[in-house]
Amino acid sequence: GASHDFQARLAFAPPPPRQAVPLTVADGFLVKDAKPCRAIVLAADSTPGEWTAAEELRDHVREISGAELPISLAPYCSYQRVVAVGFDNRLPLPLRRSAFGKLDDQELVIKPAGNTLLLAGGTPQATLYAVYEFLHRLGVRWYSPEYTKTPKARDIAIPLETICYSPPVTGRTLNAGNQATKAWLARNRLTTVA
């Protein structure tokens, strides 16, 4: 399973790569034959939580497929096929925040459109939840802070349908004792621990 220093990543966002990593051209895929087909792109003003979401996506996709998706900031992004983590005014009109109306604080959006897959939400926390929902749909399960079930696949397809989801209960709590970590709680979309 993937183990991460979640707290440190919330406090620091590394600079974007300056050199473009070559991508495999395969429409409809995130990864094809264990090679990256898309880059992860963040808005220039992305939050530490959105950086964490991008890194979690990159790390878990690498665990699944062996392919590492490059992360880039929108102003410096030269890639044609991207996964947008969070909203940005540089996105095509149907993928900008204004296209979704008012989003609840924990509402998430997973939307494919053209060469872009959008993973975003009403808040940076909801954007993180959008990434975790996407990974969950790929078969990733975080059963405990120490055990993550990660499927193996050489190909990861882009979903065809749009997913908009707002949890019916906004305060989700688990009495997990001292073993629950902030990363594990976030990955399971729990908001608090008792």
Side-chain angles (χ1 to χ4, degrees):
S3 63
H4 311 287
D5 186 358
F6 196 74
Q7 282 298 101
R9 290 194 323 182
L10 285 175
F12 173 74
R18 292 289 178 198
Q19 292 182 322
V21 175
L23 300 179
T24 297
V25 176
D27 288 336
F29 287 90
L30 193 63
V31 174
K32 182 74 173 157
D33 296 324
K35 294 183 177 125
C37 301
R38 301 197 180 236
I40 299 167
V41 66
L42 291 156
D45 61 350
S46 59
T47 67
E50 290 164 332
W51 267 100
T52 297
E55 291 173 336
E56 286 280 271
L57 178 63
R58 179 200 59 205
D59 294 349
H60 283 83
V61 165
R62 184 179 51 229
E63 280 284 319
I64 293 168
S65 67
E68 183 159 335
L69 306 179
I71 298 175
S72 183
L73 286 177
Y76 310 109
C77 185
S78 61
Y79 297 104
Q80 298 300 312
R81 290 173 174 81
V82 298
V83 179
V85 174
F87 291 109
D88 185 7
N89 287 332
R90 290 178 181 84
L91 292 171
L93 287 174
L95 297 177
R96 292 185 188 173
R97 186 178 181 107
S98 59
F100 297 94
K102 178 164 174 17
L103 294 173
D104 293 334
D105 284 351
Q106 294 183 26
E107 188 169 358
L108 61 89
V109 175
I110 300 172
K111 182 177 176 74
N115 288 332
T116 304
L117 172 64
L118 175 66
L119 303 176
T123 61
Q125 179 185 34
T127 295
L128 186 61
Y129 291 170
V131 167
Y132 291 141
E133 181 63 26
F134 177 74
L135 293 169
H136 188 268
R137 289 170 184 259
L138 295 178
V140 177
R141 300 294 184 272
W142 301 274
Y143 291 123
S144 76
E146 295 83 29
Y147 179 70
T148 299
K149 179 184 172 198
T150 306
K152 300 298 178 196
R154 292 180 52 82
D155 298 341
I156 300 175
I158 299 292
L160 299 175
E161 74 280 357
T162 296
I163 299 155
C164 292
Y165 175 74
S166 185
V169 177
T170 57
R172 296 173 301 281
T173 304
L174 175 69
N175 188 355
N178 294 330
Q179 297 181 6
T181 64
K182 288 183 180 190
W184 184 79
L185 291 168
R187 290 172 181 154
N188 285 286
R189 293 163 308 272
L190 296 167
T191 56
T192 59
V193 65

